[in-house]
């Protein structure tokens, strides 16, 4: 957790070895995960790719930079997804599969959904479920089906998929598994679309039990919206406090990703409480 030291060391190494893909990747990682600076991270990831750009595993092995090439391609797919360039994200997934034979099918779902290619996302998820026994892959696939059915306005079908995503995630045989609150908040959204308010709140309450610092879904955001819309103002005030506590514990990159949601729900609360000037800010 020595963030400043990590930044200093990565910058020092880059000054000493500007043509090192490892140095470029290290600084990119600091910028992305510690500081949440996606554009600057992307710059150094692009530079790391330029310094590697291997076409196959033997070439990457011979260079001595195989791990940095692999990690760079993987992170480039993630960053482009976060920045909204879903086609580029998919291109880097294809590159990982082409060069390293990596099974990346379970990661295709979200970019395809963002591109509104719902049939392709559904097909990709079903392919994962038919061919993979890995719980993480399967939970991502079920979550893809949950999200795609909701996005294509089929919430009843979506409910089953949401529950399966949660079930697969909870079954992961890993003591370090911290549960992805996205699955539970997605299920809550589906329940809300079916006007099952109690069920929606139950999913959110389950999500608040797991402080997942890497998950973009802060369940207290959705709990606060739900409570305000039900006129439960005392509970709303408590939910606001807990939402901010949760936010402070999140990784910087996650804070960047869900910052607007925090501002929006807080502004809504201030409006209801009569603090219009604070809401405007």
């Amino acid at each position: 957790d020595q963030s400043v030291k990590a930044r200093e060391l990565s910058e020092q190494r880059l000054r000493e070895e500007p043509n090192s893909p490892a140095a470029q990747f290290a600084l990119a990682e600091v910028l992305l995960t510690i500081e949440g600076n996606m554009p600057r991270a992307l710059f150094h990831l692009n530079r790391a790719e330029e310094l590697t750009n291997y076409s196959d595993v033997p070439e990457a092995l011979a260079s001595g930079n195989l791990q940095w090439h692999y990690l760079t391609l993987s992170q480039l797919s993630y960053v482009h997804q976060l920045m909204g360039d879903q086609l580029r994200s998919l291109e880097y997934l294809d590159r990982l599969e082409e060069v390293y034979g990596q099974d990346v099918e379970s990661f295709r779902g979200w970019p395809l959904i963002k591109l509104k290619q719902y049939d392709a996302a559904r097909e990709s998820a079903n392919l994962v479920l038919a061919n993979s026994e890995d719980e993480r892959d399967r939970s991502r696939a079920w979550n893809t089906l949950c999200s795609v059915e909701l996005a294509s306005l089929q919430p009843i079908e979506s409910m089953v998929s949401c529950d399966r995503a949660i079930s697969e995630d909870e079954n992961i045989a890993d003591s370090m598994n911290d549960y992805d609150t996205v699955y539970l908040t997605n299920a809550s959204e589906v329940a809300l679309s079916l006007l099952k308010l109690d069920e929606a709140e139950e999913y959110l309450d389950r999500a608040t039990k797991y402080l997942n610092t890497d998950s973009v879904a802060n369940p207290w955001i959705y709990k606060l919206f739900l409570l305000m819309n039900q006129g439960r103002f005392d509970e709303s005030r408590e939910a606001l406090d807990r939402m901010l506590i949760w936010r402070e514990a999140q990784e910087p990159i996650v804070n960047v990703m869900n910052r607007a949601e925090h501002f929006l729900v807080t502004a809504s609360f201030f409006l209801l409480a009569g603090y219009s000037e604070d809401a405007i800010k």
Side-chain angles (χ1 to χ4, degrees):
D1 293 325
Q2 297 181 38
S3 303
V4 175
K5 187 67 173 177
R7 174 67 180 265
E8 291 174 348
L9 288 171
S10 60
E11 288 181 328
Q12 178 185 337
R13 184 174 184 187
L14 191 59
R15 284 193 298 270
E16 295 170 353
E17 303 176 62
N19 292 323
S20 165
Q24 294 286 349
F25 182 85
L27 181 55
E29 193 70 1
V30 170
L31 290 165
L32 182 67
T33 61
I34 294 178
E35 300 182 15
N37 190 335
M38 285 185 275
R40 290 299 300 171
L42 180 59
F43 173 84
H44 290 285
L45 287 170
N46 286 336
R47 181 67 181 130
E49 184 187 18
E50 291 170 5
L51 292 167
T52 51
N53 199 28
Y54 309 124
S55 57
D56 53 44
V57 171
E59 184 182 0
L61 275 171
S63 72
N65 289 314
L66 181 148
Q67 62 178 327
W68 305 115
H69 183 226
Y70 175 87
L71 290 170
T72 296
L73 293 179
S74 179
Q75 206 68 309
L76 277 166
S77 177
Y78 180 53
V79 171
H80 280 297
Q81 177 189 317
L82 296 182
M83 296 181 73
D85 193 342
Q86 307 305 332
L87 289 175
R88 291 297 299 279
S89 178
L90 289 169
E91 286 174 7
Y92 280 109
L93 288 178
D94 289 340
R95 186 86 176 119
L96 275 172
E97 189 170 45
E98 175 189 343
V99 177
Y100 292 101
Q102 178 73 23
D103 182 2
V104 296
E105 197 63 49
S106 67
F107 294 99
R108 297 187 198 276
W110 188 244
L112 290 170
I113 289 172
K114 298 295 283 186
L115 290 167
K116 294 182 169 56
Q117 296 183 21
Y118 301 133
D119 289 341
R122 191 181 291 110
E123 182 181 349
S124 173
N126 285 324
L127 192 61
V128 173
L129 294 174
N131 295 293
S132 177
E133 296 299 322
D134 183 88
E135 285 102 343
R136 292 188 188 279
D137 288 348
R138 293 179 64 82
S139 61
R140 277 193 293 267
W142 281 113
N143 188 57
T144 294
L145 290 176
C146 167
S147 302
V148 77
E149 303 300 357
L150 182 62
S152 54
L153 305 180
Q154 300 183 64
I156 295 177
E157 290 85 349
S158 186
M159 198 73 259
V160 175
S161 300
C162 292
D163 284 334
R164 289 298 300 269
I166 296 166
S167 176
E168 293 278 0
D169 190 50
E170 290 179 336
N171 285 337
I172 293 174
D174 181 355
S175 61
M176 297 301 291
N177 180 44
D178 49 9
Y179 302 95
D180 195 329
T181 53
V182 170
Y183 302 153
L184 289 159
T185 54
N186 280 354
S188 175
E189 188 175 350
V190 173
L192 276 177
S193 71
L194 295 170
L195 301 181
K196 297 181 178 181
L197 304 187
D198 291 342
E199 193 170 324
E201 187 170 356
E202 182 182 346
Y203 280 121
L204 293 177
D205 287 341
R206 287 172 63 185
T208 60
K209 296 176 182 178
Y210 312 117
L211 180 53
N212 187 336
T213 59
D214 295 318
S215 175
V216 70
N218 180 341
W220 289 106
I221 293 175
Y222 310 104
K223 182 75 180 280
L224 181 50
F225 271 125
L226 183 65
L227 294 170
M228 284 193 295
N229 280 288
Q230 292 181 323
R232 296 158 61 185
F233 299 120
D234 288 341
E235 292 174 83
S236 297
R237 180 67 180 83
E238 181 182 356
L240 177 66
D241 289 339
R242 291 182 178 274
M243 179 189 76
L244 296 175
I245 291 171
W246 185 292
R247 185 186 181 200
E248 286 301 310
Q250 289 183 316
E251 299 294 340
I253 183 61
V254 177
N255 256 324
V256 171
M257 292 160 64
N258 63 18
R259 179 170 52 197
E261 289 181 300
H262 285 97
F263 285 149
L264 183 61
V265 70
T266 305
S268 300
F269 179 85
F270 282 150
L271 280 173
L272 286 175
Y275 296 95
S276 56
E277 292 296 323
D278 291 313
I280 290 168
K281 293 176 184 177

